[in-house]
Amino acid sequence: MISRFSRLHIRLASGACLVSSAAFAHCHLQPKASKDVPINDICAAWIAEEEADGYKPPSASWPKHPPAYSLSPELQRSLNECGGAGDSKCHGIAFDLAVALLGSAVFGHDGTGEGKTDYGPSDDDKQRGLELMRILAEQGMPEAQCALAFCLMDGDIIEPSASSAVAYHEKAAAAGLSQSMHELGVMHYLGDGVAENVSIAVRWFKSAAEAGQSGSMFLLADCLASGQGVDRDEEAAFAWLVRAGELGHRGARSRVIATLESIDRYHAAAGRKASEWTLD
């Protein structure tokens, strides 16, 4: 990946070492930046953060804070007291209950968090969770539409249907849910359930990135750096990597730091050769 940023290396090595909105003004895929920040300072802050005791990188799972299955009875009581899944003010509780009942079968969670136990939902529990998620999705809750799309792609507790999954993700994305934007980008990028189309994938990655999805920022940067589905733009790619790194994305941080390390090697080589170049 570093070689893709070769021209950017020279620009940075010559002194343009700021992450700036002006630096990427020519690119319609640029991230919005409010101020100039020395990139070396940003990287130093990342390293200090990760070396601090107790640091954990942000969770890449969705939902980010799933309730444990053992909390499902309490959530069911709360939902009953609230008025049931048909009442929009109860949708948040109903969604948490559905996630707890579905559990790792769909979302890949291990039950960590308050109320963790060594047992998980039964098949009947999963079907209850699925039906509850379907009710919420049909009532227009974007998070439930996204979750139901996961179930339809997974195919473990429901007949798989990629076309239905895409339809639910598109509804959630239209309502502004960045997770579904990201999932649509990945599906089009990989040809998973849809025809492979990197140009469409880039559009979804851009929408999700602008909505704050660090994973989409990382993938958009990769497409920009290599010219996949979009005109190649290494500067915009680097800017998106920095933005993703600021949100804690480990892959993005690694690439940015590796880029700067290669610049340091360039400076070291240039310093050693300076006298020879002067003599020439």
Side-chain angles (χ1 to χ4, degrees), residues 78-92:
S78 297
L79 181 59
N80 294 340
E81 293 170 359
C82 180
D87 192 330
S88 61
K89 74 175 184 296
C90 307
H91 280 185

Side-chain angles (χ1 to χ4, degrees), residues 130-182:
L130 177 64
E131 184 57 30
L132 184 54
M133 200 68 81
R134 193 196 307 272
I135 290 171
L136 295 172
E138 293 304 322
Q139 291 180 0
M141 184 182 186
E143 293 82 1
Q145 292 167 341
C146 180
L148 188 55
F150 276 125
C151 294
L152 288 161
M153 287 300 293
D154 178 77
D156 181 50
I157 57 175
I158 188 175
E159 187 70 23
S161 173
S163 60
S164 295
V166 169
Y168 277 115
H169 273 315
E170 287 178 342
K171 289 179 181 178
L177 189 69
S178 63
Q179 185 66 41
S180 279
M181 298 174 193
H182 175 77

Side-chain angles (χ1 to χ4, degrees), residues 97-229:
L97 174 59
V99 171
L101 292 171
L102 288 167
S104 61
V106 176
F107 302 108
H109 299 133
D110 60 4
T112 56
E114 182 182 356
K116 180 180 178 181
T117 62
D118 292 330
Y119 62 92
S122 66
D123 289 343
D124 287 344
D125 288 327
K126 295 173 186 177
Q127 288 301 320
R128 283 176 55 213
L130 177 64
E131 184 57 30
L132 184 54
M133 200 68 81
R134 193 196 307 272
I135 290 171
L136 295 172
E138 293 304 322
Q139 291 180 0
M141 184 182 186
E143 293 82 1
Q145 292 167 341
C146 180
L148 188 55
F150 276 125
C151 294
L152 288 161
M153 287 300 293
D154 178 77
D156 181 50
I157 57 175
I158 188 175
E159 187 70 23
S161 173
S163 60
S164 295
V166 169
Y168 277 115
H169 273 315
E170 287 178 342
K171 289 179 181 178
L177 189 69
S178 63
Q179 185 66 41
S180 279
M181 298 174 193
H182 175 77
E183 297 300 330
L184 287 166
V186 171
M187 292 171 76
H188 282 92
Y189 186 84
L190 297 176
D192 186 12
V194 296
E196 182 179 321
N197 190 317
V198 181
S199 295
I200 294 176
V202 167
R203 291 201 292 272
W204 282 119
F205 289 151
K206 176 178 180 289
S207 295
E210 290 176 341
Q213 275 281 342
S214 63
S216 280
M217 294 174 190
F218 182 77
L219 292 171
L220 177 59
D222 197 51
C223 291
L224 283 163
S226 60
Q228 296 182 77

